[in-house]
Amino acid sequence: MMQVVQIHRNPPRSPEAAFDPARMVPYGYDETDYGTPKREGTAVTLTIDGREVTVAAGTSVMRAAIEAGVNVPKLCASDSLQAWGSCRLCLVEIEGRKGYPASCTTPVEAGMTVRTQSPKLAQLRRGVMELYISDHPLDCLTCPANGDCELQDMAGAVGLREVRYGYEGENHLKDVTDASNPYFSYDPSKCIVCNRCVRACEEVQGTFALTISGRGFESRVSPGQDQPFMQSECVSCGACVQACPTSTLQEKSIIEFGQPDHTVVTTCAYCGVGCAFEAQVKGSQVVRMTPYKDGHANEGHSCVKGRFAWGYATHRDRVLKPMIRDRISDPWREVSWDEAFSYAARRMREIQAKYGRDSIGGITSSRCTNEETYLVQKLVRAAFGNNNTDTCARVCHSPTGYGLKQTMGESAGTQTFKSVEKSDVIVVIGANPTEGHPVFASRMKRRLREGARLVVVDPRRIELVDGVHVKADYHLQLKPGTNVAVLTALAHVIATEGLISEAFVAERCEAKSFAQWREFVSRPENSPEALQQASGVPPALVRGAARLYATGGNAAVYYGLGVTEHAQGSTAVMAIANLAMATANIGREGVGVNPLRGQNNVQGSCDMGSFPHELPGDRDVSDPTTRMLFERAWNVQISPEPGLRIPNMFDAALAGTFMGLYCQGEDIVQSDPDTQHVAGALSSMECIIVQDIFLNETAKYAHVFLPGSSFLEKDGTFTNAERRISRVRKVMDPLPGLGDWEVTQRLSSALGYPMNYSHPAQIMDEIARLTPTFHGVSFAKLDELGSIQWPCNEQHPDGTAIMHVDRFVRGKGRFLLTQYVPTDEKVTRKYPLLLTTGRVLSQYNVGAQTRRTENVQFYDEDRLEIHPHDAEERGIRDGDWVGIESRAGQTVLRATVTERVATGVIYTTFHFPESGANVITTDSSDWATNCPEYKVTAVQVTPVEQPSQWQRAYRSFSHTQQRLYEERATTAMAGK
Ligand code: SF4
Ligand code: SF4
Ligand code: SF4
Ligand code: FES
């Protein structure tokens, strides 16, 4: 059933009224804007309009009044921003004080007696409003914000009936609208210069793109240096639009469709931050996504993707009918769901009859919900009868699971995002949060502006190194592939300079493994000086960073794919865990080991048993007790043998032993390394079933296409990088007619293993029954609590915010030796440069969604970054086409000549299929998990004038596949 809440344009006036269970929101949904931020402090009691009110010291009079249910008019105040005190609408009278102080900037005092209403106050407020309205277009009835405008509300609240000054005086009514941003417009004629947008950009987003230019009457909001928004530093996060009390900054979707009539609270389906949003809907049309103030991961903030890039959900490229074909050279044929399922099941069974039970498998996706992912691995284990299930987490964070489990006993991050507010030292390794995890980056930057110190370990000069009001104390600009050398050198300094937290280690960690580790890292060959040649990092910087991490107070490590996607990815994760344990930076707020997960549900797909060796809850499939639990529940025998990992599936396909694949929501052709190897493997298979929303690169090799649903069409849960399980709620019915979970269920039934869930909530109930870390999790509980960080069990019925508080999950923390081993991807005379890869803010992963939105206006091609020195040596100028060649393949991109990369290092993104970034990446992978070494590829770069051979072949193949889709037979009914 759809979860709906009616929007209340006029916020409830008492806190109790905001907690109305009949409104069907997950938990105390309180739209009230309290005017100024909440404070923590000793209790202070005062009287407001005759009511005794007790609040925390430091609270504003305005907030105290609103908390007590007393409405105070306001325009420049908002509880997500520090008080500004410019509009003078919130004036009050305070006994014993002269004048009429602004309640938003006046802190409460014990015994204070405040009056918010009096004839004089009413007169003053009307005067203020008259001035505003006299310089405002009187187009309320046709204004897109009509009904959702605080200026309009306040005119009513103060009882404004006439404007004595007339409207003929000097005004801004002819000011020109800036519509340069694809998602919102800026109409200066409606601006009341309340400064909320400027403060939102500074305080909430941390970009500082806006100022108020001019003085007095000439004051106007100015992006950058009086530039249009699109040419300024603005990153389109939408915080200013959210903050604007008028229609000055307005979403274009609201201008086009009008105001919503209901909202559904759901979770963003892009990155691992897991921001909660209100999907605002008019009829069945989404008209706006606004960040949910009570979202535990984002607390009312957003980035350009979640906030604006949702139009792909109804893009014309969506494929909505099931399709089949015998060979990939045949045109597609639209069929009914029943025919698609029986065709798919028959072909998979035929393959098993011919090649054996283990000749087929499935790949689940970290884009899908926990419930959908759980069903795919269940189908593989129960209906296929093998453990050939893997997930795209294989190619991103599998070393995180392995490394953290080995050292601390749990395969997940240790903190909440909020924990960063208590950090004194922040270490960012192999992650670029401002691009990849932007909402968390805003939170981190706020803490850095408050004075936390920063260490960045990255081959590139990412924004955090030298950003606006944020500077790294240390940038360890290492050579790609040398994380373990640098992390071990940091440990060397900590061990040899007496910086180990001996008491913590003695109490909480294994004595034997610690002693071995201490001896190992203390060896001279692990000193920063000895490892400099490998890493390229000056020893003084390593020593300084190590001392800061060990002695600077609460120190937290945040790391990303720049750590995991290496031949020594698992070793690097262990090295980070070692550092945290040795310095006692674990088990409380402000510290910890924090993997920044790439996709929305990476954590969840790992938790749900997607890996071939693990059943849900990270439990080994070879363990008979665990197997028996699932065998009883599922009424099948489960094979004790771990199945194939994704790269093994490809190798087995080329060897002729793995011939059928069910691939849900994952574009392996574009996202996995060594594209030509992947394409070759898929071409060798006899039946590929792709379930997706678009005919993606993988679907071009498919024989069955099962149309999938976007997150707006789903009920379920995602688990973000904090282990936070959040609800995804259906905003509209699945466009193909069946939800993704129903598709898997029907496919399973066609294979002879019936599944009979009637709602995803029942799937979660089963997960909770069978998975100790999920005990007690249910949709009802999630609705009640808003979100739950697992483990959720009898000891922690509401979940666990911080892990390893009194003891490590495995008992004693275990130190592991982290010998640096140079990667095989070494520079040679033939391949003298190292290619590393990453993401940009506006595009997402393989770009299937963001490329189908206006985000292409921000970034429309993958470029190759190259240092000026390397460029000059090769005669490459900015914008030139360059060929990039590795031992795996060749592609051609345009060059951006920049000092963001060091000499010897080049960098690109992988958001556009025709770029072929993964044609270059090789089969090198992590020793423990097979996570591909995307971050290091030895290459040569030369100026060229035409696309690579692969690109020409790709275009031709894609053109053919598009034609086969367009020529599809459409006669069959594709109903249920
Ligand atoms: S959209 Fe975000 S970055 Fe751009 S001006 Fe507004 S607050 Fe600043
Ligand atoms: S654009 Fe909106 S938020 Fe910014 S100053 Fe003008 S009215 Fe205030
Ligand atoms: S930070 Fe991530 S989860 Fe949040 S809105 Fe952006 S893409 Fe979505
Ligand atoms: S709300 Fe207090 S001065 Fe504007």
Side-chain angles (χ1 to χ4, degrees):
M1 189 172 56
M2 205 177 280
Q3 299 261 353
V4 176
V5 55
Q6 296 302 319
I7 291 177
H8 291 246
R9 291 284 151 226
N10 297 310
R13 295 301 171 225
S14 79
E16 293 78 21
F19 290 79
D20 179 359
R23 296 169 63 205
M24 297 171 69
V25 281
Y27 61 108
Y29 181 61
D30 184 359
E31 281 184 292
T32 310
D33 186 327
Y34 292 92
T36 60
K38 193 174 175 61
R39 301 284 178 220
E40 284 171 10
T42 50
V44 171
T45 301
L46 67 161
T47 306
I48 301 177
D49 292 350
R51 300 183 203 186
E52 203 166 85
V53 184
T54 301
V55 292
T59 302
S60 69
V61 168
M62 169 181 281
R63 184 168 183 116
I66 298 174
E67 281 186 14
V70 175
N71 191 23
V72 181
K74 58 181 171 28
L75 274 173
C76 70
S78 173
D79 57 12
S80 58
L81 304 170
Q82 299 302 319
W84 186 250
S86 69
C87 76
R88 312 302 294 169
L89 206 60
C90 66
L91 310 179
V92 291
E93 293 171 352
I94 300 177
E95 245 177 56
R97 289 205 194 169
K98 282 194 187 149
Y100 305 92
S103 62
C104 62
T105 51
T106 305
V108 294
E109 285 176 16
M112 205 179 228
T113 301
V114 178
R115 218 173 16 250
T116 69
Q117 303 295 339
S118 73
K120 182 64 187 171
L121 288 171
Q123 182 200 1
L124 288 171
R125 288 173 185 153
R126 272 198 294 273
V128 168
M129 282 307 298
E130 271 187 276
L131 284 172
Y132 279 129
I133 298 299
S134 68
D135 182 16
H136 198 79
L138 296 178
D139 62 352
C140 286
L141 285 182
T142 53
C143 176
N146 188 18
D148 184 25
C149 171
E150 291 181 42
L151 189 70
Q152 197 179 42
D153 289 349
M154 288 307 117
V158 304
L160 188 69
R161 297 285 171 263
E162 57 171 346
V163 173
R164 288 166 294 165
Y165 315 116
Y167 303 99
E168 287 75 35
E170 216 178 340
N171 60 47
H172 297 88
L173 303 185
K174 293 206 168 63
D175 287 4
V176 178
T177 297
D178 171 5
S180 61
N181 186 288
Y183 296 117
F184 61 86
S185 60
Y186 167 57
D187 177 356
S189 71
K190 294 183 170 167
C191 179
I192 59 170
V193 202
C194 66
N195 206 275
R196 275 164 66 164
C197 53
V198 179
R199 283 177 286 149
C201 193
E202 293 176 3
E203 295 173 24
V204 180
Q205 165 58 21
T207 291
F208 294 78
L210 301 178
T211 51
I212 300 287
S213 67
R215 286 172 170 269
F217 181 78
E218 298 304 326
S219 300
R220 264 331 177 228
V221 172
S222 157
Q225 308 296 314
D226 271 329
Q227 295 159 302
F229 269 84
M230 272 302 263
Q231 287 169 25
S232 73
E233 303 86 357
C234 169
V235 293
S236 298
C237 71
C240 57
V241 184
Q242 182 83 349
C244 183
T246 66
S247 183
T248 311
L249 287 162
Q250 183 72 65
E251 296 91 349
K252 288 183 176 175
S253 56
I254 291 290
I255 297 172
E256 183 179 354
F257 299 116
Q259 291 291 326
D261 50 44
H262 68 276
T263 72
V264 182
V265 178
T266 189
T267 304
C268 176
Y270 279 116
C271 85
V273 177
C275 298
F277 276 86
E278 289 179 37
Q280 302 193 350
V281 189
K282 182 175 192 174
S284 58
Q285 169 73 51
V286 177
V287 297
R288 173 163 61 188
M289 296 286 282
T290 54
Y292 187 44
K293 204 166 148 185
D294 287 343
H296 296 161
N298 57 323
E299 295 186 339
H301 190 33
S302 60
C303 84
V304 59
K305 295 189 288 289
R307 177 79 153 95
F308 296 119
W310 38 269
Y312 70 86
T314 48
H315 193 275
R316 62 180 179 280
D317 287 353
R318 282 283 299 269
V319 179
L320 301 175
K321 301 275 172 56
M323 302 187 298
I324 60 173
R325 57 182 176 179
D326 292 337
R327 289 172 300 272
I328 67 165
S329 52
D330 292 343
W332 285 102
R333 188 158 66 85
E334 282 183 1
V335 293
S336 68
W337 279 108
D338 281 340
E339 186 175 351
F341 292 132
S342 65
Y343 178 86
R346 178 174 57 78
R347 290 201 62 178
M348 289 305 232
R349 288 299 187 217
E350 282 170 2
I351 290 171
Q352 284 188 304
K354 192 164 153 196
Y355 299 96
R357 195 184 56 180
D358 295 337
S359 58
I360 62 173
I363 297 178
T364 70
S365 170
S366 302
R367 317 306 316 269
C368 295
T369 64
N370 285 317
E371 293 73 15
E372 290 155 1
T373 307
Y374 176 86
L375 282 202
V376 172
Q377 63 86 34
K378 179 174 176 179
L379 174 144
V380 170
R381 298 184 203 279
F384 289 177
N386 61 43
N387 289 313
N388 291 336
T389 169
D390 208 355
T391 167
C392 55
R394 163 78 49 221
V395 299
C396 69
H397 264 286
S398 48
T400 288
Y402 183 80
L404 296 184
K405 188 142 191 177
Q406 292 294 315
T407 47
M408 298 193 279
E410 192 55 270
S411 59
T414 62
Q415 308 298 120
T416 60
F417 286 137
K418 200 172 177 59
S419 159
V420 79
E421 293 168 10
K422 300 275 168 60
S423 295
D424 303 305
V425 178
I426 298 169
V427 182
V428 177
I429 310 178
N432 191 358
T434 51
E435 302 284 335
H437 300 83
V439 166
F440 173 67
S442 291
R443 210 166 201 164
M444 180 190 275
K445 289 200 287 188
R446 195 179 319 147
R447 182 64 193 141
L448 291 168
R449 290 197 302 275
E450 288 167 358
R453 313 279 301 275
L454 175 65
V455 177
V456 173
V457 185
D458 202 288
R460 275 177 91 230
R461 194 157 48 73
I462 59 171
E463 186 193 324
L464 284 176
V465 171
D466 197 10
V468 187
H469 299 285
V470 170
K471 300 265 179 290
D473 294 83
Y474 295 95
H475 177 205
L476 311 186
Q477 194 167 14
L478 74 182
K479 291 181 195 161
T482 63
N483 285 324
V484 172
V486 170
L487 290 162
T488 306
L490 289 167
H492 174 91
V493 178
I494 289 165
T496 56
E497 295 192 6
L499 306 180
I500 286 174
S501 290
E502 304 283 355
F504 178 89
V505 172
E507 186 194 339
R508 301 279 308 270
C509 302
E510 290 177 354
K512 190 170 166 204
S513 69
F514 170 67
Q516 287 167 342
W517 175 83
R518 171 180 244 165
E519 187 278 321
F520 166 75
V521 297
S522 302
R523 291 180 199 160
E525 68 259 32
N526 287 324
S527 69
E529 291 74 16
L531 289 168
Q532 179 183 10
Q533 174 141 22
S535 71
V537 183
L541 295 187
V542 179
R543 289 191 176 274
R547 290 173 196 140
L548 180 60
Y549 176 73
T551 65
N554 285 341
V557 176
Y558 292 86
Y559 71 89
L561 304 180
V563 163
T564 54
E565 290 177 344
H566 283 92
Q568 281 200 291
S570 293
T571 317
V573 173
M574 293 168 188
I576 292 169
N578 289 340
L579 286 176
M581 293 189 293
T583 55
N585 278 311
I586 201 84
R588 61 183 188 280
E589 281 197 295
V591 298
V593 178
N594 303 277
L596 293 173
R597 306 288 190 156
Q599 314 218 49
N600 51 323
N601 199 32
V602 174
Q603 182 66 57
S605 70
C606 298
D607 302 337
M608 291 299 107
S610 299
F611 287 133
H613 67 294
E614 283 177 347
L615 284 157
D618 301 337
R619 286 166 297 163
D620 222 300
V621 75
S622 62
D623 173 37
T625 315
T626 306
R627 256 197 343 273
M628 197 188 303
L629 182 73
F630 283 89
E631 284 174 344
R632 282 202 184 129
W634 295 352
N635 200 23
V636 286
Q637 285 257 299
I638 296 174
S639 166
E641 295 298 322
L644 297 174
R645 297 170 173 182
I646 293 173
N648 308 133
M649 292 181 190
F650 298 150
D651 292 343
L654 288 167
T657 56
F658 186 81
M659 300 308 247
L661 178 69
Y662 168 34
C663 186
Q664 185 193 58
E666 172 64 4
D667 193 355
I668 46 181
V669 171
Q670 196 185 338
S671 60
D672 282 40
D674 199 350
T675 307
Q676 294 176 98
H677 178 73
V678 177
L682 296 194
S683 305
S684 313
M685 292 191 209
E686 293 184 2
C687 180
I688 294 173
I689 305 166
V690 165
Q691 183 177 349
D692 213 294
I693 59 176
F694 299 116
L695 205 64
N696 61 19
E697 300 304 310
T698 307
K700 292 172 183 169
Y701 295 87
H703 307 86
V704 180
F705 186 87
L706 304 174
S709 304
S710 74
F711 78 113
L712 293 171
E713 298 147 61
K714 289 176 193 275
D715 265 314
T717 55
F718 293 149
T719 307
N720 76 352
E722 311 162 282
R723 297 167 278 108
R724 186 182 299 287
I725 309 161
S726 300
R727 280 281 275 116
V728 182
R729 293 186 181 82
K730 200 196 280 185
V731 175
M732 54 197 194
D733 287 330
L735 298 185
L738 292 183
D740 283 317
W741 65 276
E742 293 171 287
V743 171
T744 306
Q745 172 160 298
R746 296 266 298 267
L747 177 62
S748 185
S749 299
L751 283 157
Y753 181 78
M755 295 184 186
N756 294 304
Y757 307 98
S758 56
H759 190 273
Q762 295 172 348
I763 305 172
M764 177 51 82
D765 291 344
E766 180 175 311
I767 295 165
R769 269 197 312 278
L770 296 171
T771 313
T773 44
F774 275 63
H775 274 183
V777 177
S778 67
F779 280 22
K781 189 160 187 169
L782 285 164
D783 287 350
E784 181 194 335
L785 298 178
S787 65
I788 299 171
Q789 283 180 275
W790 67 255
C792 174
N793 47 36
E794 274 166 24
Q795 295 85 49
H796 305 281
D798 291 346
T800 309
I802 308 287
M803 299 285 290
H804 315 295
V805 173
D806 298 317
R807 63 186 288 280
F808 286 99
V809 170
R810 70 182 300 279
K812 296 267 186 186
R814 176 183 179 203
F815 285 83
L816 286 162
L817 306 193
T818 56
Q819 178 72 51
Y820 165 63
V821 180
T823 166
D824 289 342
E825 280 298 310
K826 293 187 185 64
V827 292
T828 59
R829 191 175 294 192
K830 187 169 183 201
Y831 301 123
L833 301 172
L834 289 179
L835 169 73
T836 189
T837 58
R839 297 176 177 177
V840 293
L841 167 70
S842 53
Q843 290 294 342
Y844 192 70
N845 209 21
V846 297
Q849 291 129 305
T850 43
R851 280 188 277 111
R852 290 179 171 95
T853 69
E854 294 301 327
N855 277 25
V856 287
Q857 292 194 34
F858 304 114
Y859 194 79
D860 62 0
E861 70 173 300
D862 294 315
R863 302 273 293 236
L864 184 85
E865 291 186 3
I866 184 166
H867 189 275
H869 172 78
D870 293 329
E872 196 186 332
E873 249 185 7
R874 291 164 174 77
I876 294 167
R877 288 158 308 169
D878 199 69
D880 280 356
W881 291 104
V882 290
I884 309 140
E885 182 186 348
S886 74
R887 65 183 165 89
Q890 297 173 338
T891 196
V892 171
L893 297 172
R894 279 200 296 154
T896 296
V897 179
T898 170
E899 290 183 355
R900 266 196 298 274
V901 287
T903 51
V905 177
I906 59 169
Y907 166 88
T908 191
T909 50
F910 52 92
H911 302 302
F912 294 84
E914 60 274 22
S915 304
N918 281 324
V919 174
I920 304 297
T921 51
T922 67
D923 57 359
S924 177
S925 68
D926 176 44
W927 60 272
T929 64
N930 272 148
C931 181
E933 190 169 39
Y934 289 109
K935 301 297 180 185
V936 198
T937 309
V939 294
Q940 176 58 294
V941 172
T942 47
V944 293
E945 287 182 354
Q946 58 174 346
S948 72
Q949 198 180 354
W950 175 83
Q951 281 166 316
R952 291 196 296 273
Y954 166 80
R955 278 179 203 164
S956 159
F957 178 67
S958 294
H959 180 78
T960 303
Q961 286 301 319
Q962 185 60 28
R963 181 176 53 75
L964 294 173
Y965 171 62
E966 279 160 13
E967 290 174 0
R968 68 194 181 278
T970 57
T971 46
M973 288 296 293
K976 291 186 186 184

